[in-house]
Amino acid sequence: AQTVTQSQPEMSVQEAETVTLSCTYDTSESDYYLFWYKQPPSRQMILVIRQEAYKQQNATENRFSVNFQKAAKSFSLKISDSQLGDAAMYFCAYSGSNTGNQFYFGTGTSLTVIP
Amino acid sequence: DAGVTQSPTHLIKTRGQHVTLRCSPISGHKSVSWYQQVLGQGPQFIFQYYEKEERGRGNFPDRFSARQFPNYSSELNVNALLLGDSALYLCASSPSGNPYNEQFFGPGTRLTVL
């Protein structure tokens, strides 16, 4: 079975600084997709960034980028120039070609942004 | 455009009762998935439906059931409620249910079982 592990329950960052959230996963599939979702307090979960496993190039979306290490099964999220609005729970998620659109989520990292 | 909507927002039930949660996907989306998010945890997959057929089922007891209607809206039913069923139930829709599809989440239904 696929598992997703986020080893950092809580992280904090100074406003305008950079922070990296860690995620590792375990799978025997060769074709899969990885996602980072953000869940602000009492608000809906929204997609931050997505990575296709077959692509070697790391995905980037404005201030958000990933470090995808396929051999190590690692998928970390880097947030640059952190803003107060980045404060939220961040979930790493996995979706495999053999499991349809079923997402496997990690336990989340709570990010605090310090003004 | 309207996002994924869920009803009700909050629900309080007692042990042994039955509950029905409802979800309307984004217009044009044909796949709906249900997740259970216990406080402090990540969402756990319950069901996926695509074109009114069950495409996937997570590790949940038979007390949990779901269906999808011709307009692609969906219901999640839970029978014989237990205290441990207290959680945020999330509905997510996607265009086709393929693994590369982003899932769009609704605000959730907060279920409390007393």
Side-chain angles (χ1 to χ4, degrees), chain A residues 33 35 37 39 43-47 50 52 89 91 95-108, chain B residues 4 31 33 35 37 40-45 48 57 88 90 94 97-107:
Chain A
Y33 305 84
F35 305 79
Y37 275 84
Q39 188 177 39
R43 293 183 62 186
Q44 289 172 239
M45 195 174 304
I46 58 174
L47 179 69
R50 168 175 45 194
E52 292 86 350
M89 281 292 289
F91 291 98
S95 176
S97 58
N98 294 332
T99 53
N101 206 203
Q102 172 181 339
F103 277 25
Y104 295 86
F105 285 89
T107 52
Chain B
V4 177
S31 175
S33 297
Y35 293 83
Q37 186 177 18
Q41 298 293 318
Q44 295 289 315
F45 172 76
Q48 184 200 3
R57 173 185 286 255
L88 180 67
L90 297 170
S94 63
N98 286 322
Y100 54 79
N101 282 159
E102 171 188 354
Q103 292 202 16
F104 294 81
F105 285 83

Side-chain angles (χ1 to χ4, degrees), chain B residues 7 13 19-20 24 30 50 54 64 79 89 97 100 110 113:
Chain B
S7 63
K13 292 286 189 178
V19 68
T20 297
S24 291
K30 298 182 179 180
Y50 175 66
E54 183 182 301
F64 288 76
N79 293 323
Y89 288 84
Y100 54 79
R110 174 72 62 186
V113 182

Side-chain angles (χ1 to χ4, degrees), chain B residues 45-88:
Chain B
F45 172 76
I46 310 176
F47 286 110
Q48 184 200 3
Y49 276 78
Y50 175 66
E51 288 283 15
K52 302 178 287 294
E53 293 189 358
E54 183 182 301
R55 280 289 191 88
R57 173 185 286 255
N59 188 24
F60 280 80
D62 292 344
R63 300 184 296 107
F64 288 76
S65 64
R67 55 179 175 168
Q68 186 177 34
F69 299 99
N71 66 353
Y72 302 109
S73 66
S74 178
E75 282 183 355
L76 176 69
N77 294 283
V78 187
N79 293 323
L81 285 167
L82 303 174
L83 295 179
D85 295 331
S86 295
L88 180 67

